Amino acid sequence: KTYKDGYFKTTSEKMVPGRNVRKNPYVINNGKNDAFVRVRVLVPCDLFNVLDNGPSFWTSSALDNAIVSKAVNAYDEGSNLEEYKVSRDGKTYYEFDFTYTEKLAPGAMTFWNAWGNIAIDKNATAEDLADVDTFDVIIEADAIQAEGFESYVEAFKAFDAEK
């Protein structure tokens, strides 16, 4: 509530090129068992090139230590992000996945923040932003009970097969 009504309200309104808004998704395990966790951050495809994209979004130190991401790896390698497109309410987003490699204990909160901020590129022009009044960055999270799985890879393979 403090984030939404305080910091977010004052910094997200009337954003200008070069200004950023912290977007720090954390997950708390409210279950009774260890869980593997994945956070998915959806960024509007039509704005991706005017947002200060890439490493200013995600937290590189987290990716070096405790989180893996197929989409970030593809982006870093210069690959086409087409396979990471998803649709929500008629809008198309790039879905950046952040899978925590360690189990999250009951009551615990993810330590590493996978995502840092959203910023409009400092070189974005009025023309680039002509039709932009607002935009959403959607955060989704998945958790699967860790028991019965040897690793996060196995757990999310099973999770995704159920979809």
Side-chain angles (χ1 to χ4, degrees), residues 127-148:
E127 185 177 284
D128 293 332
L129 301 167
D131 296 326
V132 181
D133 287 328
T134 64
F135 64 91
D136 292 324
V137 173
I138 300 171
I139 309 294
E140 299 175 340
D142 305 312
I144 186 168
Q145 183 174 307
E147 187 175 334

Side-chain angles (χ1 to χ4, degrees), residues 6-103:
Y7 168 81
F8 185 76
K9 182 170 177 47
T10 59
T11 58
S12 66
E13 293 179 1
K14 299 182 182 175
M15 285 182 69
V16 296
R19 184 175 178 190
N20 73 55
V21 175
R22 286 189 309 270
K23 201 78 166 151
N24 307 119
Y26 292 96
V27 174
I28 297 173
N29 181 354
N30 291 325
K32 295 182 180 183
N33 301 297
D34 290 349
F36 287 112
V37 173
R38 173 175 59 198
V39 172
R40 291 174 286 119
V41 180
L42 284 59
V43 179
C45 291
D46 59 345
L47 293 178
F48 193 73
N49 290 329
V50 296
L51 295 177
D52 184 14
N53 53 51
S56 67
F57 282 167
W58 46 81
T59 308
S60 298
S61 57
L63 293 168
D64 291 340
N65 292 294
I67 301 171
V68 296
S69 174
K70 293 176 185 173
V72 169
N73 290 345
Y75 177 85
D76 286 346
E77 293 167 3
S79 297
N80 188 330
L81 293 176
E82 289 299 308
E83 72 178 278
Y84 299 99
K85 284 185 174 180
V86 296
S87 186
R88 299 288 186 277
D89 297 324
K91 276 196 72 84
T92 306
Y93 297 85
Y94 289 120
E95 179 183 75
F96 289 92
D97 59 308
F98 298 93
T99 304
Y100 290 79
T101 60
E102 298 295 322
K103 299 172 189 174

